[in-house]
């Protein structure tokens, strides 16, 4: 294998976290939407740039015996990779990949910065550091460097999956360390920043959501905390058909209590209570719905007005169970139909993975049926699949003593 020994002045910057991109001296050679075997080859060479790779190893990674002339196909692929850089005006394009005697490797004489290498160095430094302040500094650097999962556009490739999992695990190890330290130090702003980013990386990471709720509560932003709780509650119902953990539900109870220990200015409280955009019916988490129902029942009894409860749900139109994709889309359409068919003073909530419960104040049974019919018609205008059918029911409020 031949090295040129040429002093290369330009640095190659390669990003693999959150997507794949290559930049040299301000010139973008390839962006995050790149695909195909040419870039698959480069990604693998860079990830193993301190190893000499035989053509047999590369052929197995790239084609897995699915091509008639694998050795020739590999040579052609290396040629195309070099040509891609040559066409982009890179003077050392032909020296990027070194080959000799059926062995290939990335040319490490060329200055190269790879984000996953810098990220892993920061993670290792954080794990080895004994000084708390320095350990947190390295951990924060690692977390900031992790702009997304490893090669998300190539997760289907067999060699990418274990590396993706490894870096993802490393990331959350640093995240947990930071969150624990920020919570202990009551550094709510930093706790919120790191937890929010972690929740963007993995939407179902409950510890990140718990820290978001805690930070928002401690910063006096209860309305935002309640909104976030409703959002993730709906997410878990919609995507996983599951409830949130008891820990998160307990956190929500803390939000509901508002945790206001001293005197507060009425104008500030009023501002905190104000809804930013009052559009359509009001959606809330089921625990909130229960409280609002109980309060509305008391008002209805006192004022002598009527109150109806409606239930709208989906079920399979056949004997087969609904798959996740069908259920998720149908529930999305049903929520839209419910929201657009109700009045601004009506309230609804997702009470199960396949049902919405609706509170209709000052409505009798006849008008309640008309509302459910309106929702059904709106649903059918949007959703045309015969796999799903709607199930509706309507009941008046119970007597106050039975609630």
């Amino acid at each position: 294998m031949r090295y040129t020994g040429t002093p290369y002045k330009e640095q190659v910057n390669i990003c693999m976290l959150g997507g794949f991109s290559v930049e040299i001296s301000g010139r973008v050679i390839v962006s995050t939407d790149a695909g195909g075997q040419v870039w698959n080859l480069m990604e693998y060479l860079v990830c193993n740039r301190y190893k000499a790779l035989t053509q047999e190893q590369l052929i197995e990674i790239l084609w897995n015996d699915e091509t008639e002339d694998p050795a020739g196909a590999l040579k052609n692929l290396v040629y195309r990779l070099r040509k891609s850089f040559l066409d982009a005006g890179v003077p050392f394009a032909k020296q990027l990949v070194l080959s000799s005697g059926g062995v290939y490797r990335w040319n490490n004489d060329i200055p190269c910065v790879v984000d996953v290498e810098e990220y892993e160095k920061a993670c290792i430094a954080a794990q080895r550091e004994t000084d708390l302040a320095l350990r947190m500094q390295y951990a924060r650097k690692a977390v900031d460097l992790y702009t997304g999962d490893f090669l998300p556009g190539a997760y289907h490739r067999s060699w990418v999956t274990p590396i993706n999992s490894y870096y993802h695990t490393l990331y959350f190890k640093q995240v947990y360390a930071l969150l624990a330290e920020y919570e202990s130090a009551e550094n709510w702003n930093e706790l919120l920043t790191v937890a929010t980013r972690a929740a963007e990386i993995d939407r179902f990471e409950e510890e990140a959501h718990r820290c978001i709720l805690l930070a928002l509560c401690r910063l006096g932003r209860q309305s935002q905390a309640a909104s976030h709780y409703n959002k993730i509650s709906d997410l878990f119902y919609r995507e996983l058909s599951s409830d949130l953990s008891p820990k998160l539900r307990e956190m929500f109870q803390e939000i509901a209590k508002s945790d206001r220990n001293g005197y507060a200015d009425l104008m500030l409280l009023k501002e905190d209570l104000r809804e930013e955009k009052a559009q359509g019916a009001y959606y809330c988490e089921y625990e909130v719905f229960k409280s609002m129902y109980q309060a509305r029942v008391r008002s209805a009894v006192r004022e002598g007005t009527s109150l109806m409860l409606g239930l709208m749900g989906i079920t399979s139109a056949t004997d087969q169970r609904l798959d996740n994709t069908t259920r998720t889309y149908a529930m999305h359409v049903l929520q839209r139909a419910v929201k657009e068919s109700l009045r601004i003073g009506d309230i609804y909530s997702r009470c199960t993975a396949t049902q919405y419960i609706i509170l209709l104040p000052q409505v009798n049974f006849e008008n309640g049926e008309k509302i459910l019919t309106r929702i059904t018609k709106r649903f059918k205008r949007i959703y045309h699949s015969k796999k799903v059918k709607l199930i509706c029911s309507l009941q008046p409020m119970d007597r106050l003593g039975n609630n």
Side-chain angles (χ1 to χ4, degrees):
M1 187 170 296
R2 180 176 59 87
Y3 288 89
T4 65
T6 303
Y8 301 101
K9 296 181 179 180
E10 294 184 280
Q11 177 176 283
V12 181
N13 297 303
I14 302 173
C15 295
M16 295 187 176
L17 295 172
F20 178 65
S21 63
V22 181
E23 179 264 336
I24 301 175
S25 299
R27 301 193 306 278
V28 177
I29 309 301
V30 57
S31 61
T32 54
D33 57 355
Q37 289 289 60
V38 169
W39 304 114
N40 186 13
L41 170 63
M42 179 176 173
E43 290 160 0
Y44 190 77
L45 287 170
V46 172
C47 283
N48 297 274
R49 70 190 187 105
Y50 297 105
K51 298 178 183 178
L53 302 167
T54 65
Q55 69 175 13
E56 289 77 17
Q57 289 175 303
L58 292 173
I59 288 169
E60 183 177 355
I61 287 294
L62 295 167
W63 293 287
N64 195 23
D65 299 326
E66 295 177 358
T67 183
E68 295 182 0
D69 180 17
L74 177 59
K75 290 179 180 178
N76 179 260
L77 208 58
V78 172
Y79 166 78
R80 288 166 55 197
L81 175 58
R82 290 167 174 161
K83 189 174 186 302
S84 295
F85 281 85
L86 192 64
D87 292 344
V90 178
F92 48 85
K94 293 182 179 180
Q95 286 80 47
L96 281 171
V97 180
L98 302 175
S99 61
S100 177
V103 177
Y104 296 83
R105 73 180 302 162
W106 184 262
N107 187 351
N108 288 319
D109 285 350
I110 299 172
C112 187
V113 175
V114 185
D115 63 345
V116 291
E117 294 177 359
E118 299 303 308
Y119 163 70
E120 189 171 13
K121 286 178 186 177
C123 290
I124 293 172
Q127 292 170 6
R128 293 177 177 176
E129 184 56 59
T130 58
D131 181 80
L132 177 60
L134 287 176
R135 185 164 69 246
M136 291 301 101
Q137 182 178 327
Y138 286 128
R140 186 57 183 268
K141 179 180 179 181
V143 166
D144 291 341
L145 284 171
Y146 196 88
T147 55
D149 286 338
F150 176 76
L151 296 178
Y155 69 92
H156 58 283
R157 296 174 185 159
S158 59
W159 71 270
V160 171
T161 303
I163 301 176
N164 184 305
S165 178
Y166 168 68
Y167 287 139
H168 188 89
T169 301
L170 270 185
Y171 169 74
F172 275 99
K173 188 172 184 178
Q174 306 312 314
V175 165
Y176 295 148
L178 287 171
L179 294 180
E181 180 59 28
Y182 289 147
E183 183 174 347
S184 176
E186 299 186 1
N187 191 338
W188 308 124
N189 284 308
E190 291 303 316
L191 183 71
L192 181 60
T193 298
V194 173
T196 299
R197 180 55 184 155
E200 291 172 354
I201 295 293
D202 188 338
R203 296 184 300 160
F204 303 105
E205 180 51 54
E206 287 205 13
E207 178 60 14
H209 291 299
R210 185 192 72 82
C211 289
I212 291 172
L213 294 174
L214 176 63
L216 288 172
C217 271
R218 295 297 183 262
L219 291 169
R221 294 153 64 177
Q222 276 79 9
S223 60
Q224 290 183 37
S227 176
H228 184 77
Y229 181 88
N230 287 334
K231 178 181 177 182
I232 61 174
S233 177
D234 185 62
L235 172 68
F236 275 64
Y237 264 129
R238 186 177 66 250
E239 301 291 340
L240 304 179
S241 299
S242 67
D243 291 325
L244 297 174
S245 68
K247 185 182 292 186
L248 275 179
R249 298 181 76 84
E250 289 172 8
M251 180 64 65
F252 180 72
Q253 294 302 319
E254 184 175 353
I255 296 169
K257 293 176 182 177
S258 291
D259 192 25
R260 295 185 181 273
N261 297 318
Y263 292 100
D265 182 81
L266 181 58
M267 290 301 294
L268 292 177
L269 290 175
K270 183 179 177 182
E271 181 65 23
D272 186 46
L273 291 168
R274 184 175 62 85
E275 185 178 2
E276 292 184 4
K277 292 183 179 180
Q279 296 179 348
Y282 183 77
Y283 175 82
C284 60
E285 201 268 340
Y286 184 65
E287 290 300 317
V288 176
F289 184 92
K290 286 167 59 177
S291 298
M292 297 184 80
Y293 171 74
Q294 292 162 8
R296 288 294 182 95
V297 166
R298 290 169 179 263
S299 296
V301 169
R302 185 184 71 246
E303 297 167 2
T305 58
S306 59
L307 185 71
M308 302 296 296
L309 268 179
L311 189 65
M312 300 287 298
I314 61 169
T315 189
S316 174
T318 66
D319 293 332
Q320 295 182 340
R321 185 177 180 180
L322 292 176
D323 60 83
N324 288 339
T325 301
T326 300
R327 188 192 71 245
T328 298
Y329 179 63
M331 286 299 288
H332 171 74
V333 174
L334 180 57
Q335 181 181 24
R336 176 181 168 185
V338 170
K339 183 178 179 65
E340 293 177 356
S341 300
L342 298 180
R343 303 163 300 176
I344 196 169
D346 298 332
I347 305 165
Y348 70 106
S349 175
R350 188 163 178 168
C351 54
T352 72
T354 58
Q355 293 174 302
Y356 284 101
I357 188 167
I358 304 166
L359 181 59
L360 301 169
Q362 298 180 341
V363 168
N364 57 30
F365 195 87
E366 182 181 357
N367 290 334
E369 284 189 322
K370 289 180 180 179
I371 292 173
L372 297 191
T373 300
R374 187 162 68 239
I375 294 172
T376 301
K377 289 181 178 179
R378 192 180 294 271
F379 176 86
K380 291 181 177 180
R381 282 203 301 268
I382 305 172
Y383 192 87
H384 305 293
S385 173
K386 296 182 179 180
K387 295 181 181 179
V388 171
K389 66 178 180 180
L390 283 181
I391 296 180
C392 312
S393 59
L394 188 69
Q395 291 286 332
M397 69 174 183
D398 290 335
R399 294 181 179 275
L400 187 60
N402 295 330
N403 285 301

